[in-house]
Amino acid sequence: MKSSTLIITVLITAAICLAGCLSTLSKVGTGIAVATGTMSAGQAESVNKVAVAAEKTFQDITPEQEYYIGRSVAACILKQYKVYDNKNANNYLNVLGQSLSAFSDKPSTFGGYHFIIMDTDEINAFAAPGGLVLVSRGLLRCCRNEDALAGVLAHEVSHVQYAHGLKAISKSRFTSLGTVIGTEALKTFGPSQLAEVTKVFEGTINDITSTIVNSGYARKFETQADAGAVTIMTRVGCDPNGLKQMLQEMEHRLKPGGAGFSKTHPDPKVRIKDIESLIKGATVSAPLAARQARFDKAMAGI
Amino acid sequence: MTRKIILTIAFSLVLALSTTIAGQKMMSVQNKKGEIRSSPSPLGNVVATVNYGDRVTVIEEQGKWIKVSTADGFSTGWMDSSALTKKVIKMNAGDKNAEVAASSGEMALAGKGFNSQVEAEFKSKNKDIDFTWVDRMEKIKITVSEIRKFLESGGLKAGKGGA
């Protein structure tokens, strides 16, 4: 073999080998952290190993798709509940809410976190996937201070960061979507394909909306959201006892068998019991009169 | 002559791939807008913004924060890892290569599946569902300095760099 031929062979072999390495490297860690955005690469890897099949479904939901799902879920909820159009109150809710979401495990989403008040006496709150959070006036009335409200908002942010909404989607939707679009790289759908995909989209929106409005999440998701709320509040310096006080107030106000939280959430007493050990010994910032003043001012009309 | 050309091509190929592996770890912005901050904190000043699909070079990782530089090299700073993906995001899908790469899981296609076209179709089928407030909600912008001021004036420890 001539030396030049040998060099060519060696170089080409090296190129093929490196290409192989590159492919392997880029595959490592391209797990569900991408889909849910809630886990570290290490956690995502371990989850990948134990639940490959279930994982695949969530891997298919990009943050962009989560954003479109969340927008329609929020729009469907706002068909049932009017918005409380008070600029000061809604602005305060967003400053507090975004101060909390910034310190969550998922500080950013495709379209960001946004908060709004629903004009209803019902005690209720919803977190649409991607970070659109809706809180009722009835629930705000259960909050006597900023820490209590922080408890409500941090709980909803936790539902977003753990992608609980997306987990309410029936697995069959993913199968249907996969059948329609497959690995299709086209960005624009043809008419029949669009009709099919929209049908799957409607089903997806319905799965999530009916879960959060009617049936409620599984108790383990609510417990996880309360624990997540305590973590976020502690990071920011809010007193997690605020969440407990809010739940105590809610217990007084909730009507058994009524709408809202009484049918979708565990009994406040149960939730309080679950968070007791978590809030013990939390280091919090000293309460300032300035915080109570700004809370009272923003919530004056509630 | 032909040998020389083949040799040059093969050599360039090795060089290109080696550079990618050894030096540059790249990631893509997976949110509509990505903010690059002066420090690894949600309260760090925003020094630059990047767009969906933009590629950034990873310099350093610190927990959930990744130090990156933009493709043009002009901006360097920290991004939270939830804004980034290891996948290449193909903005203008349509060619065969994109299809192959997408099915291998190394690439995400912007606009695949549920997208603005699907939302538009959903709206036209459900005219009673109003998106006005959803759009208004998204327009509510709170800046980093507003959050910092809010935390500081409330005496909250996150505002004192304690988080």
Side-chain angles (χ1 to χ4, degrees), chain A:
Chain A
M1 195 184 276
K2 280 185 182 175
S3 62
S4 58
T5 317
L6 189 68
I7 293 169
I8 293 170
T9 315
V10 169
L11 285 170
I12 291 176
T13 312
I16 292 167
C17 175
L18 282 166
C21 290
L22 185 64
S23 158
T24 312
L25 277 173
S26 55
K27 271 177 192 161
V28 172
T30 51
I32 53 163
V34 175
T36 64
T38 58
M39 297 183 180
S40 70
Q43 286 171 313
E45 284 296 310
S46 59
V47 172
N48 236 348
K49 282 173 194 160
V50 294
V52 177
E55 163 46 21
K56 181 76 183 83
T57 56
F58 290 107
Q59 193 172 12
D60 289 339
I61 304 178
T62 60
E64 184 187 12
Q65 294 195 83
E66 181 180 8
Y67 165 78
Y68 283 108
I69 291 169
R71 277 175 55 81
S72 285
V73 167
C76 285
I77 294 169
L78 291 176
K79 187 188 158 193
Q80 298 178 44
Y81 299 94
K82 272 187 187 167
V83 163
Y84 177 63
D85 191 3
N86 179 314
K87 202 178 169 191
N88 287 340
N90 281 315
N91 190 62
Y92 174 75
L93 203 73
N94 277 275
V95 179
L96 177 60
Q98 292 193 26
S99 297
L100 294 160
S101 64
F103 289 90
S104 72
D105 287 338
K106 190 179 183 179
S108 64
T109 64
F110 188 85
Y113 288 87
H114 303 281
F115 303 79
I116 208 85
I117 302 167
M118 297 179 289
D119 194 0
T120 171
D121 294 337
E122 197 179 296
I123 294 173
N124 224 333
F126 307 106
L132 298 178
V133 174
L134 318 163
V135 185
S136 75
R137 289 176 78 183
L139 181 51
L140 294 177
R141 287 181 201 130
C142 298
C143 304
R144 290 179 180 173
N145 53 44
E146 196 171 275
D147 287 330
L149 178 55
V152 170
L153 301 183
H155 174 96
E156 298 307 320
V157 166
S158 288
H159 278 314
V160 175
Q161 75 172 354
Y162 297 129
H164 288 160
L166 298 183
K167 288 170 188 164
I169 304 170
S170 157
K171 298 265 184 296
S172 66
R173 310 282 179 214
F174 296 101
T175 317
S176 311
L177 190 63
T179 310
V180 182
I181 60 174
T183 58
E184 189 77 59
L186 292 174
K187 205 174 175 182
T188 312
F189 297 118
S192 65
Q193 207 179 20
L194 179 61
E196 285 293 314
V197 176
T198 307
K199 209 170 122 190
V200 181
F201 184 70
E202 282 177 324
T204 301
I205 303 308
N206 187 53
D207 286 345
I208 301 171
T209 311
S210 63
T211 299
I212 61 182
V213 175
N214 302 320
S215 53
Y217 288 127
R219 186 180 154 188
K220 65 174 180 183
F221 283 179
E222 294 302 342
T223 309
Q224 196 181 17
D226 278 337
V230 171
T231 303
I232 294 168
M233 294 172 81
T234 311
R235 282 177 192 166
V236 172
C238 295
D239 186 352
N241 281 294
L243 177 59
K244 184 181 166 183
Q245 287 155 11
M246 183 280 295
L247 289 167
Q248 285 166 338
E249 185 63 31
M250 186 193 283
E251 198 190 339
H252 287 303
R253 292 173 179 251
L254 271 182
K255 293 177 190 113
F261 270 35
S262 33
K263 66 171 181 176
T264 57
H265 281 66
D267 188 313
K269 263 192 227 143
V270 174
R271 292 177 62 189
I272 290 167
K273 196 165 168 267
D274 285 346
I275 60 167
E276 286 282 16
S277 61
L278 300 173
I279 59 180
K280 227 176 254 175
T283 51
V284 298
S285 310
L288 278 188
R291 290 184 73 206
Q292 192 63 44
R294 69 189 180 191
F295 172 85
D296 291 340
K297 192 178 167 195
M299 296 292 124
I302 292 297

Side-chain angles (χ1 to χ4, degrees), chain B residues 60-78:
Chain B
E60 187 188 336
E61 292 183 38
Q62 240 183 60
K64 294 194 297 274
W65 291 89
I66 302 175
K67 191 174 190 182
V68 300
S69 69
T70 51
D72 59 16
F74 286 134
S75 305
T76 300
W78 297 87

